[in-house]
Amino acid sequence: MKIKKAIFPVGGLGTRFLPATKSMPKEMLPVVDKPIIQYAVEEAAKAGIEQFIFVTSRGKSSIENHFDHSFELENNLLLKGKKETLKTAQEMLKIPGSFAYVRQQEPAGLGHAVWCARHLVGNEPVAVILADDLIKGSNTIKEMISNYSSGNMLAIMDVNNQDVSSYGIISPGKTLENNMTEILGLIEKPSIDKAPSNMAVVGRYIIEPSVFKELEKQNRGTSNEIQLTDAIANRIGKSQCYGYKFTNDRFDCGSKLGFIQANIKLSIERDDLSEKLKSWLKEEFLNGYV
Ligand code: UTP
């Protein structure tokens, strides 16, 4: 089935990155030289997504500007003959009208943010991509779409015992082909004794229209927020629910550690940075700092 639309919830406060995020969106923090939201949009574009729906909030206008022309900058680069740099500044410009923005008026949770996009989605399945979850290789949502036929599909990965209380955790059923697992239940941020497994949901979803009906109920869950996982959990038994176990490295760029790890790993893979960074890291290691 072709999925044409993707929702990018970027309405959160990003409190774990204060003070950096006091007047700047978390999603604009760069990994190497690219804002994390751009990685997410590139991943969606690679998967054939045609309509990019951002759920924003107060103070997030730099995200809109990032995906727009910057005439002064582009003209300046043109006049100076900096063709390659100009290409970089223009690479994220999509077909006019393919980017849409809707405001989440209060940070009432991820489920609430997704619900805010309902009128732009209409009656069709839609991808949901959290920019904080940077997955290397940018193929995850593409792989999920190619395995999708109906119902709900969530990206999943194994986590350590001490981390289960930070994630939505699935109760797994049958293991299927193509890295898919049937999901029999879903619980948001359980304590380790209540967790049905160590398989955690990370920020890639394909949701069916009925999830919006669940979200419409505005039920509050963990942290008194409207949780996307709760709405999906309520659909289990009524429609199919699958986990897709992706294989690439994933970085939680919503946390300081994950963000720093992403910067190091992706820098090491860059031709222009790799050698110098590696030799500096080796030196630090030999000097006992690492
Ligand atoms: P997080 O749980 O990381 O919350 O949201 P947050 O507010 O962004 O960050 P912290 O925990 O305060 O540091 C996961 C994703 O859901 C979006 C966020 O923007 C992020 O992409 N989100 C969260 C919303 O769009 N609206 C919300 O009300 C909550």
Side-chain angles (χ1 to χ4, degrees):
M1 179 183 285
K2 189 155 167 48
I3 309 285
K4 296 192 295 278
K5 299 179 183 176
I7 301 173
F8 301 87
V10 292
L13 295 173
T15 53
R16 283 171 289 167
F17 266 99
L18 281 169
T21 47
K22 196 171 167 196
S23 66
M24 166 196 177
K26 169 175 74 173
E27 298 78 11
M28 287 302 291
L29 289 170
V31 167
V32 193
D33 51 9
K34 224 192 265 182
I36 58 172
I37 187 66
Q38 186 170 333
Y39 289 92
V41 168
E42 285 176 357
E43 182 177 331
K46 223 169 146 187
I49 295 294
E50 293 163 10
Q51 292 179 42
F52 303 78
I53 303 165
F54 295 77
V55 183
T56 70
S57 60
R58 187 169 292 276
K60 303 273 179 168
S61 54
S62 59
I63 296 177
E64 293 183 43
N65 291 335
H66 182 72
F67 293 108
D68 197 0
H69 276 289
S70 170
F71 286 106
E72 205 182 344
L73 172 69
E74 288 169 40
N75 193 38
N76 194 288
L77 294 172
L78 194 67
L79 290 175
K80 288 182 177 155
K82 295 189 171 174
K83 284 192 188 144
E84 277 311 302
T85 318
L86 179 62
K87 227 168 97 190
T88 309
Q90 291 178 328
E91 69 190 358
M92 271 292 100
L93 297 169
K94 297 277 169 211
I95 302 163
S98 55
F99 279 51
Y101 299 89
V102 62
R103 284 282 271 255
Q104 184 188 23
Q105 291 153 320
E106 52 166 331
L110 175 60
H112 181 259
V114 168
W115 177 73
C116 287
R118 66 200 179 281
H119 297 304
L120 295 173
V121 173
N123 194 32
E124 57 185 285
V126 62
V128 178
I129 302 180
L130 304 191
D132 322 33
D133 277 323
L134 200 162
I135 305 178
K136 255 184 56 195
S138 59
N139 270 329
T140 304
I141 201 70
K142 186 177 182 184
E143 290 158 6
M144 288 172 68
I145 291 173
S146 69
N147 282 315
Y148 181 81
S149 53
S150 67
N152 296 300
M153 189 186 288
L154 321 174
I156 53 168
M157 64 180 257
D158 292 323
V159 295
N160 296 326
N161 278 355
Q162 70 264 25
D163 293 329
V164 293
S165 60
S166 306
Y167 290 90
I169 299 291
I170 70 159
S171 173
K174 279 192 277 231
T175 303
L176 308 164
E177 57 185 14
N178 298 336
N179 297 333
M180 307 270 281
T181 300
E182 196 186 5
I183 296 179
L184 303 178
L186 195 54
I187 170 166
E188 184 64 24
K189 300 190 173 71
S191 55
I192 181 66
D193 53 307
K194 299 225 170 68
S197 75
N198 279 42
M199 287 185 205
V201 176
V202 300
R204 303 288 181 279
Y205 312 75
I206 300 173
I207 56 168
E208 57 176 0
S210 57
V211 171
F212 288 96
K213 294 218 171 68
E214 289 295 334
L215 292 169
E216 187 90 38
K217 296 176 190 162
Q218 307 279 300
N219 289 335
R220 300 268 170 165
T222 309
S223 313
N224 198 31
E225 291 186 344
I226 300 168
Q227 299 287 353
L228 180 60
T229 42
D230 290 345
I232 296 172
N234 286 342
R235 293 298 308 159
I236 294 172
K238 296 170 200 137
S239 50
Q240 309 278 18
C241 192
Y242 299 107
Y244 174 72
K245 207 167 192 176
F246 59 94
T247 46
N248 284 356
D249 283 347
R250 167 260 184 187
F251 301 96
D252 176 9
C253 291
S255 76
K256 291 184 191 92
L257 181 65
F259 176 74
I260 292 166
Q261 287 169 332
N263 268 289
I264 294 174
K265 187 88 182 208
L266 271 68
S267 299
I268 283 176
E269 290 178 359
R270 281 266 300 251
D271 290 344
D272 56 337
L273 297 168
S274 182
E275 285 317 310
K276 282 187 177 159
L277 179 61
K278 278 199 277 194
S279 66
W280 178 74
L281 284 171
K282 271 181 208 153
E283 224 169 275
E284 291 290 295
F285 182 76
L286 291 175
N287 291 334
Y289 295 121
V290 181

